[in-house]
Amino acid sequence: MVRKYDEYASRRGETLAAAIVGSLVLALALSGIAAILSANTTLETEYEKNNRAFLLEDNGAAIVRQLDTSGIAEGETFYVKKDSAARAFLVLTGSENADYQYVDATGEWTNSGTTEKTVYTRSFVMEEQDPIFGSGGYAVRTVVKELLRD
């Protein structure tokens, strides 16, 4: 009888060891999956952030191509404001209009001090004359940056 009891205790010990090893393997697998998901979330967030800035820049450049910018001097910074009532875009220059550089992710003007949304600065710079555009054509550089908050 003593012998049967020893075999039973030995099997119970093997089962306990297998359960502990299995739990460790499962914990390692789960922590690996969690690390992969965390890295994926970081990549996705960065992609969305860069994509929003790219779309604002690209859409802004498309708008400026449709506007008359002949009155803007070379090297001058200007801003574009959407006038919803007139269904048009206005070209604004000067430091008194610098507040119109603050836009949200959709390109709409936003108050950078009171909004909780992500705010971007979008401005345009009239570059030097570019012969690709023919006589009188200018290249316009679009600058979009995400406004960082504390």
Side-chain angles (χ1 to χ4, degrees), residues 24-51:
L24 288 175
V25 169
L26 183 62
L28 286 173
L30 288 177
S31 66
I33 290 170
I36 289 171
L37 290 176
S38 175
N40 186 36
T41 301
T42 304
L43 285 173
E44 186 176 333
T45 303
E46 278 298 311
Y47 171 77
E48 287 176 0
K49 177 181 161 184
N50 291 336
N51 194 38

Side-chain angles (χ1 to χ4, degrees), residues 58-78:
D58 195 47
N59 290 342
I63 291 168
V64 169
R65 281 193 294 273
Q66 307 277 326
L67 298 174
D68 178 21
T69 56
S70 60
I72 299 174
E74 183 176 317
E76 188 174 4
T77 301
F78 65 98

Side-chain angles (χ1 to χ4, degrees), residues 66-140:
Q66 307 277 326
L67 298 174
D68 178 21
T69 56
S70 60
I72 299 174
E74 183 176 317
E76 188 174 4
T77 301
F78 65 98
Y79 314 99
V80 173
K81 177 188 176 214
K82 181 179 179 182
D83 184 3
S84 298
R87 296 180 153 279
F89 290 96
L90 305 173
V91 177
L92 306 169
T93 60
S95 60
E96 67 273 0
N97 291 314
D99 203 31
Y100 289 105
Q101 71 180 322
Y102 301 111
V103 295
D104 62 10
T106 62
E108 296 287 333
W109 178 83
T110 186
N111 187 335
S112 62
T114 59
T115 186
E116 294 295 322
K117 296 188 249 180
T118 303
V119 177
Y120 299 87
T121 59
R122 180 179 66 185
S123 59
F124 305 91
V125 179
M126 186 62 71
E127 294 286 329
E128 61 188 342
Q129 188 169 7
D130 193 339
I132 293 173
F133 298 117
S135 62
Y138 285 87
V140 176

